[in-house]
Amino acid sequence: MHIVQRIFMATDWMRAIWSWADLNNIPNNQIPRDESLAHLKELRLAPPLKVERNCIKADIFHLPSQISMLKELCVLDISDTKISEIPDEIYSLSALTTLGIGGLQLKELSSNIGNLTNLKILRAHDNLLESLPESIGRLTSLESLLLTKNKLAWLPQSIGRLEKLNRLFVSNNLLKEIPMEIGSLANLRWLALSRNLLESLPDELQNLTKLETLSIAYNHILASQIPASLANIKSLKRISIDNSQIGEDGNELSLIACLLSVFEE
């Protein structure tokens, strides 16, 4: 009886990734030191512990360019590491469905983000983003977009193309207006706009027929300026507002109070 043993020959790109993993003390259960690396599905480098506002950042400063060889990678989370620049190679990972890039102090997002057409979840919170590329509209599989705590002054019109989006979080930014194209997000269930500089809301919000939660607290919008057309959204259950948006007699809520459960933040 002859026993045939298959000999595994590591490639240069594997050796480069292993060297990087060793340098950064990344354990074998995250970066396998064998041929299974070629079939890696998830790579989570974000630190597990986050206490209030004091974040423990992982001591990882860069990703190797050879990461582009992980063709089967579906989940990549580099949030709250010390990586300050996203390598272009990430945008060639066409199998990605989840990308976490929060807490990296990023000032811009490459237009190549539009190449990740299978992306379902994008977390880009706690950065310094001032705008989003129009190419974000190519992420037509996107279901959840987290952009909280950035410096966004506007949203691109192309955001209206994200037809599968059900959660959009853009609280704690510098938004002064919301594009009317947001009314095209037919599957949106949760829209968080709190702590911006908004003075009004587009009437097109009434087209969000699946919307359940709308958060608009701590803006420059009085309850009397909330479009009465929101009452047409039968699925809407909650509107988040703050005390400054309600007058002393509370009459500003009369247009919608009979249909909605309104709570104060």
Side-chain angles (χ1 to χ4, degrees):
M1 179 177 180
H2 297 283
I3 298 176
V4 179
Q5 291 185 330
R6 187 163 60 91
I7 299 176
F8 165 61
M9 300 294 291
T11 62
D12 289 342
W13 71 265
M14 286 181 171
R15 293 190 189 95
I17 291 181
W18 292 336
S19 177
W20 165 78
D22 290 342
L23 184 64
N24 289 280
N25 298 312
I26 299 173
N28 190 66
N29 62 351
Q30 288 184 280
I31 296 290
R33 274 40 167 208
D34 57 30
E35 59 188 302
S36 65
L37 177 64
H39 306 289
L40 190 66
K41 303 293 185 184
E42 296 187 6
L43 179 54
R44 300 179 187 271
L45 301 175
L49 181 62
K50 196 169 186 179
V51 181
E52 295 182 354
R53 296 184 179 180
N54 298 318
C55 176
I56 298 177
K57 286 186 174 288
D59 289 331
I60 300 173
F61 291 87
H62 79 285
L63 291 175
S65 60
Q66 292 82 3
I67 197 172
S68 63
M69 300 302 294
L70 301 178
K71 303 298 185 183
E72 297 181 24
L73 196 65
C74 295
V75 177
L76 176 60
D77 191 354
I78 58 174
S79 298
D80 297 315
T81 61
K82 294 182 179 179
I83 296 171
S84 59
E85 196 170 314
I86 300 176
D88 286 339
E89 287 79 10
I90 281 184
Y91 303 118
S92 66
L93 298 173
S94 58
L96 276 185
T97 58
T98 298
L99 177 60
I101 52 174
L104 302 182
Q105 301 299 297
L106 300 175
K107 294 183 178 180
E108 62 180 0
L109 200 56
S110 171
S111 60
N112 290 327
I113 191 73
N115 296 339
L116 303 177
T117 54
N118 287 313
L119 209 59
K120 294 183 178 180
I121 299 173
L122 175 57
R123 304 188 188 101
H125 55 91
D126 291 276
N127 281 298
L128 301 172
L129 300 175
E130 297 180 0
S131 63
L132 298 176
E134 285 287 341
S135 62
I136 203 164
R138 291 162 52 192
L139 304 181
T140 53
S141 296
L142 204 62
E143 297 176 1
S144 179
L145 179 55
L146 177 57
L147 297 165
T148 306
K149 293 184 180 179
N150 275 283
K151 294 188 175 182
L152 295 172
W154 57 279
L155 296 176
Q157 295 178 347
S158 62
I159 203 167
R161 300 179 198 152
L162 306 180
E163 56 186 28
K164 294 185 179 180
L165 198 66
N166 58 62
R167 293 188 174 196
L168 176 57
F169 301 101
V170 285
S171 297
N172 292 84
N173 276 282
L174 302 174
L175 298 173
K176 293 184 177 180
E177 62 180 7
I178 300 298
M180 64 178 64
E181 286 78 10
I182 204 168
S184 299
L185 303 178
N187 287 296
L188 200 64
R189 296 181 182 275
W190 194 334
L191 177 58
L193 301 171
S194 293
R195 299 183 187 276
N196 277 284
L197 304 174
L198 299 173
E199 296 182 355
S200 63
L201 296 172
D203 285 333
E204 285 76 12
L205 287 184
Q206 67 178 307
N207 298 329
L208 304 178
T209 56
K210 294 184 179 180
L211 191 65
E212 297 177 359
T213 300
L214 174 63
S215 177
I216 56 173
Y218 303 105
N219 277 286
H220 299 162
I221 307 171
L222 295 175
S224 59
Q225 296 171 313
I226 297 174
S229 57
L230 288 184
N232 297 328
I233 307 177
K234 303 304 181 184
S235 59
L236 194 56
K237 299 174 182 177
R238 295 171 293 274
I239 294 183
S240 171
I241 60 176
D242 65 273
N243 285 333
S244 67
Q245 292 172 295
I246 306 175
E248 293 183 359
D249 57 9
N251 288 335
E252 291 90 341
L253 296 177
S254 60
L255 290 171
I256 53 176
C258 59
L259 297 175
L260 311 177
S261 171
V262 180
F263 61 94
E264 299 178 10
E265 286 195 351

